[in-house]
Amino acid sequence: MPPEVNAGMNNLKRLARRKTVLIGFAVFFAIVLASICAPLLTSYSPYKLSIVNRLQPPGAHLFGTDGFGRDVFARTIYAGRLSLLVGISVVIASSLMGVTLGLLAGFFKRLDGLLSRFVDAMMSFPDILLAVAVVAALGPSVWAVIIALGIVYAPRMARIVRASTLVISELPYVEAARALGVPTHTIMMRHILRNLISPILVQATFIFASAMLAETGLSFLGLGVDPSIPTWGTMLSEGRQYIGSADWLTLFPGITLVLAVLSLQLIGDGFRDLMDPRLKKDM
């Protein structure tokens, strides 16, 4: 068996020993599966209004109904689709921007000062305020939210990549590649970027969780997607006025959001501990 495969199997075994990581994977997989298989899990439409059935407590409708008679369970699992779409899209967008900025800043010393100050300036703004400003400029839509959050979280990825690139670029095998005349782009892609997969993967899981939480916040403020599309943020916003009499309207989407974010944090912690050589012996 190739060494890479053996190393991968050993890493999976170490992860499997962490109960918190297994719980995180199980919870997140359940949420993803429920969102994807939503039509199979409920016969109710998340959009169909039924005023005669408004504000029914959990019972005939698993999670009850909202102020317009819509099934809360159907809306909760369908809303997961949008949150997952935004999360993975933001991870891709922020990784592309962040990895590019981080590699350039860490490898080319002349660009380091300029790019680092740019990243610091971006991070000086509170995440939600910067996202609100970008969405306000682009107009509320799914793609506006993805672009806004991609811009917000790209500096986080850039700082991680820059710090790792500064260390790797000084290692003997990179110096040897330079001395042998290996093209710069080959060194960056083959010798540096390949060794950045671990920190990028760890940071991506945290960005995924933060993006889902931020999308919920934007939707709660009315700056996310079209209000007619079910999202956890709009469900929480609409349920505020009934929080004293119909608490299930905020309880179930809120619990689902917390479980999704917490599971990703547990997965990210597991990957971080796995990639840290100082902690491997404890796993």
Side-chain angles (χ1 to χ4, degrees), residues 44-54 61 65-71 75 227-228 238:
Y44 294 102
S45 168
Y47 306 101
K48 185 177 180 180
L49 307 180
S50 180
I51 301 301
V52 295
N53 293 320
R54 66 187 301 269
H61 294 267
T65 59
D66 64 8
F68 296 98
R70 296 171 297 191
D71 185 78
R75 290 179 63 79
S228 64
E238 292 171 355

Side-chain angles (χ1 to χ4, degrees), residues 22-258:
L22 292 179
I23 293 173
F25 271 114
V27 171
F28 188 69
F29 179 76
I31 293 174
V32 172
L33 188 64
S35 300
I36 294 175
C37 301
L40 302 177
L41 297 178
T42 179
S43 59
Y44 294 102
S45 168
Y47 306 101
K48 185 177 180 180
L49 307 180
S50 180
I51 301 301
V52 295
N53 293 320
R54 66 187 301 269
L55 297 179
Q56 288 190 358
H61 294 267
L62 187 60
F63 288 177
T65 59
D66 64 8
F68 296 98
R70 296 171 297 191
D71 185 78
V72 175
F73 176 70
R75 290 179 63 79
T76 299
I77 57 177
Y78 274 95
R81 292 182 170 186
L82 181 67
S83 292
L84 293 171
L85 171 63
V86 170
I88 191 63
S89 300
V90 170
V91 167
I92 294 173
S94 62
S95 296
L96 289 175
M97 292 185 284
V99 169
T100 301
L101 289 174
L103 269 177
L104 293 176
F107 192 81
F108 298 104
K109 301 300 186 292
R110 293 182 179 180
L111 296 176
D112 189 17
L114 176 63
L115 293 179
S116 295
R117 299 296 77 76
F118 173 73
V119 170
D120 290 342
M122 293 287 292
M123 295 192 70
S124 66
F125 294 96
D127 293 349
I128 193 66
L129 291 183
L130 183 57
V132 167
V134 176
V135 171
L138 298 177
S141 68
V142 175
W143 293 112
V145 171
I146 292 172
I147 293 172
L149 296 180
I151 293 173
V152 166
Y153 295 118
R156 297 187 184 184
M157 183 67 75
R159 294 189 70 175
I160 296 294
V161 172
R162 172 187 173 274
S164 300
T165 301
L166 287 173
V167 174
I168 295 174
S169 62
E170 301 298 329
L171 294 178
Y173 71 88
V174 176
E175 295 291 342
R178 286 172 171 165
L180 292 173
V182 178
T184 299
H185 69 275
T186 301
I187 295 176
M188 294 178 68
M189 299 300 296
R190 181 174 299 177
H191 300 298
I192 295 181
L193 185 58
R194 287 177 62 180
N195 289 285
L196 294 176
I197 299 301
S198 296
I200 290 174
L201 180 62
V202 172
Q203 188 64 23
T205 59
F206 294 130
I207 290 177
F208 200 147
S210 299
M212 293 177 69
L213 197 58
E215 182 276 324
T216 300
L218 290 173
S219 296
F220 183 86
L221 296 173
L223 296 171
V225 300
D226 189 326
S228 64
I229 300 175
T231 68
W232 293 329
T234 54
M235 292 178 70
L236 291 172
S237 179
E238 292 171 355
R240 285 181 302 169
Q241 58 183 316
Y242 303 107
I243 202 166
S245 57
D247 52 3
W248 60 86
L249 298 182
T250 54
L251 179 63
F252 293 114
I255 289 176
T256 307
L257 172 64
V258 170

Side-chain angles (χ1 to χ4, degrees), residues 10-27 206 263 265-276 278-283:
N10 290 333
N11 288 337
L12 289 177
K13 289 179 181 179
R14 281 196 290 269
L15 275 178
R17 297 193 192 106
R18 298 285 295 270
K19 292 183 179 180
T20 55
V21 176
L22 292 179
I23 293 173
F25 271 114
V27 171
F206 294 130
S263 64
Q265 293 288 345
L266 293 176
I267 295 170
D269 286 339
F271 278 127
R272 182 193 59 196
D273 295 346
L274 178 66
M275 305 306 176
D276 192 335
R278 296 170 298 180
L279 300 175
K280 279 187 177 181
K281 63 181 181 180
D282 298 328
M283 296 187 67

